[in-house]
Amino acid sequence: MKSLVMGSALIWGLWAGVAQAEPAQCSVNGFDTFECDVARDGGGLTFALPDGRVFAFALVGASEGMGYLGAPDALYPQELGAMTPAAGAPGCWVGGKDGFAFCVQVAQ
C-alpha cells in the first residue's frame, strides 16, 4: 500500500512540476473527445479534464497501469485501480474501478 501511495504522489507531482506538455486528443468516461495537453515521462502521463480535475496514469508493468483522478491541488488523488490496454484501440486503456477508460492520441 505504501508503494502505491508513493507512486501516486510521484505521478501527481509530475503534473505540478511539468512546464511543457504535448497537444493531444483525449477521452475519458463521461466526456466527449476533447483537446488536452498531455505531460509524459517514461512511465506515466497526466492531463486535465474539461471539468478541471486531473487524470494521472502510471505504468506498473508491460501491460498494466494505475489510474488516479483528483483536483489539481489534491494531496491524495482518488485511485481508479489497475488498467490494461484496450483491445484494438491504440492509446486506450480500460479497467479500473467502475470500468473507467481513457484514450490519448498525441498530435503529430
Side-chain angles (χ1 to χ4, degrees), residues 5-6 13 16 18-19 21 25 39 41 45-46 56 62 67 77 80 82 84 89 99-100 102:
V5 171
M6 284 291 287
V18 170
Q25 292 275 315
D41 70 3
L45 58 85
T46 59
L80 298 173
T84 57
F100 188 86
F102 77 94

Side-chain angles (χ1 to χ4, degrees), residues 1-79:
M1 179 67 161
K2 184 177 180 179
S3 63
L4 287 178
V5 171
M6 284 291 287
S8 67
L10 291 173
I11 291 298
W12 215 246
L14 170 68
W15 176 257
V18 170
Q20 291 187 347
E22 300 171 274
Q25 292 275 315
C26 295
S27 62
V28 298
N29 296 47
F31 294 98
D32 291 330
T33 300
F34 57 94
E35 300 289 324
C36 61
D37 291 322
V38 175
R40 296 190 290 177
D41 70 3
L45 58 85
T46 59
F47 59 87
L49 277 61
D51 66 3
R53 294 179 296 164
V54 175
F55 173 74
F57 177 76
L59 284 175
V60 295
S63 294
E64 184 178 11
M66 295 292 292
Y68 303 90
L69 186 63
D73 59 353
L75 184 56
Y76 297 104
Q78 173 190 1
E79 182 183 306

